[in-house]
Amino acid sequence: MTTPATTSAASAASHRQAPPELTLAHRALLAEVADEWAAVAAATGAADRAAAEAGIRDAYRAAGLAEPSKILWYDSPLAAAVAATVVAGSFKPQELAAAGLRVRAPAGSRAGRCVRDRLRAAAWERARTDAAALLGQTTWAQAWHEVSERLWAPTTGLAARVRTGVEEAVEAAVTGPRTSATRGTAARGGAGIVAGRPVAAETRAATLDALGGQHDAAWLAAFDGLRRCFPALDGSPSAPVLDAFGRVARSAGWWWPYENFVLVAERPTMLHRDENARLHSGDGPALAFPDGFALHAWRGMPIPADFVSGLGPQGSGLDAARIRGEDNAELRRVMLEIYGYDRYLAEVGARPLHRDETGVLWRIELPDDEPVVMVEVLNSTPEPDGTTRTYWLRVPPTTRTARAGVAWTFGLTETEYHPARET
């Protein structure tokens, strides 16, 4: 028997809207937003200090905090992180100066406690709750994935590399720079002890108190994209705090929030990356800031500042003997890439391990390192000028056939690899 109460409940259920789904148009818009924020993460040049400071003050108010009384600017994350160790009470300015580090920092007691968690947690949790309530967990998770898979690895990877660079720069300042032979072998934070604490390790720890600024792009892009796809989110409680964080990210680099003071780092003056968004430059720093703090890298691998230039123009100072004589295995791989695998194989008189219709398998034995195993493949699709191009595919050292190597690059086994047409 149907009662008026059950009829009313059924009517309400029928009028209750199902959570919205992501359409193709939504996905296209999310991709567009991700590209916009990728440009924010990679932006170089002077910060818009007025816009950044206004965003910071608005972020404090949105989190229920009093506005900071002072905002101090620094020319790099390195300079700001060193200052942050003073604010945190780890060191005194005179102690760092005696250790070879110049620092400009407010007195720690006046800066107050770090409020990063109150700002970041408030922004993230409020925005996530609003999005999930409107969209449902499934649509929210799909939208997050659409954006984060494009931006998360590049931005978090770059931030991690900056943190490591800060630590290494401080260690070099207080103990002397590492050479290519000792790079990666020194104990992190094991030298440069001031006031009973390792300076490099404490400075790296201070970077964890920072908010990312432009390197917050991945999570800000997700919420920005959702608001554009679903305008109802513009009226949510999280909108003001997201707007504030977004303005800081579009205007400046990392920032360290304390109860009374905020330390803000300038954006880089240059950023060079390869096609896979890895730090890469064969002609100077891959990432540099106004005060000279810089990172050098080749295909994402950290290298000494003068390493590539020391090999001569286009690696003209290289030969097989010099490559074999390099003690550092990582740098030896860079030398091989610059010199060219084909040139190296020819010079050492190497013979192929295997040859079939997919290509030629080569193996380069290296001292104190795993062998480099490559598949040489010919692109059957002509270049615009009619020529064909040879590619070298790095494969696992255990590879025994060219076909198995090519299959591995597609995530397949040799027996699973059956291309309809070789390209």
Side-chain angles (χ1 to χ4, degrees), residues 330-411:
E330 292 179 335
L331 299 183
R332 192 163 55 230
R333 295 187 194 116
V334 174
M335 288 179 165
L336 270 172
E337 186 170 338
I338 294 174
Y339 190 63
Y341 295 105
D342 53 343
R343 291 177 63 193
Y344 185 88
L345 290 167
E347 189 166 332
V348 300
R351 294 183 178 181
L353 289 180
H354 182 264
R355 187 191 305 267
D356 59 28
E357 72 282 1
T358 60
V360 183
L361 184 68
W362 299 87
R363 182 184 180 94
I364 301 174
E365 298 291 347
L366 298 173
D368 301 319
D369 193 12
E370 69 177 20
V372 174
V373 178
M374 312 283 295
V375 180
E376 177 188 1
V377 297
L378 184 67
N379 185 5
S380 59
T381 303
E383 299 292 317
D385 61 1
T387 61
T388 54
R389 184 175 178 182
T390 299
Y391 290 90
W392 296 83
L393 310 176
R394 182 94 182 255
V395 297
T398 55
T399 304
R400 293 293 177 261
T401 68
R403 187 179 192 83
V406 174
W408 178 85
T409 66
F410 289 99

Side-chain angles (χ1 to χ4, degrees), residues 29-40:
L29 181 54
L30 288 173
E32 180 181 326
V33 172
D35 289 340
E36 290 179 15
W37 280 94
V40 170

Side-chain angles (χ1 to χ4, degrees), residues 92-311:
K92 297 178 180 179
Q94 58 269 31
E95 292 172 331
L96 295 178
L101 287 170
R102 298 175 58 187
V103 59
R104 176 177 61 88
S109 59
R110 290 188 296 155
R113 294 172 298 178
C114 179
V115 293
R116 178 189 184 280
D117 289 342
R118 288 188 63 180
L119 287 168
R120 175 67 159 77
W124 165 260
E125 289 299 333
R126 192 176 302 172
R128 185 191 65 80
T129 299
D130 291 347
L134 176 68
L135 306 176
Q137 289 293 342
T138 299
T139 302
W140 149 246
Q142 289 173 343
W144 173 261
H145 179 72
E146 288 284 330
V147 178
S148 64
E149 72 172 354
R150 295 170 179 263
L151 295 181
W152 197 261
T155 53
T156 57
L158 182 58
R161 181 66 189 93
V162 170
R163 287 192 177 93
T164 300
V166 165
E167 182 181 14
E168 292 176 343
V170 171
E171 186 174 313
V174 298
T175 66
R178 301 179 191 176
T179 66
S180 62
T182 62
R183 183 178 185 84
T185 61
R188 289 284 171 84
I193 305 296
V194 173
R197 297 183 178 92
V199 184
E202 288 286 335
T203 307
R204 183 189 179 98
T207 66
L208 299 176
D209 288 335
L211 292 161
Q214 67 187 114
H215 294 156
D216 279 333
W219 70 271
L220 289 172
F223 293 116
D224 185 19
L226 283 173
R227 289 172 66 189
R228 296 197 210 179
C229 290
F230 306 101
L233 283 171
D234 274 335
S236 66
S238 62
V241 70
L242 289 175
D243 285 340
F245 267 80
R247 278 181 281 138
V248 180
R250 293 180 185 275
S251 307
W254 294 10
W255 51 295
W256 281 253
Y258 299 92
E259 288 176 314
N260 302 317
F261 294 168
V262 176
L263 317 181
V264 193
E266 275 284 353
R267 292 187 298 198
T269 56
M270 67 173 68
L271 172 64
H272 301 293
R273 295 186 292 184
D274 65 10
E275 63 278 4
N276 294 316
R278 299 173 298 187
L279 285 177
H280 174 72
S281 176
D283 183 23
L287 179 71
F289 290 87
D291 62 359
F293 172 53
L295 304 179
H296 294 75
W298 180 273
R299 306 293 185 201
M301 194 195 81
I303 58 176
D306 59 351
F307 176 70
V308 174
S309 61
L311 304 180

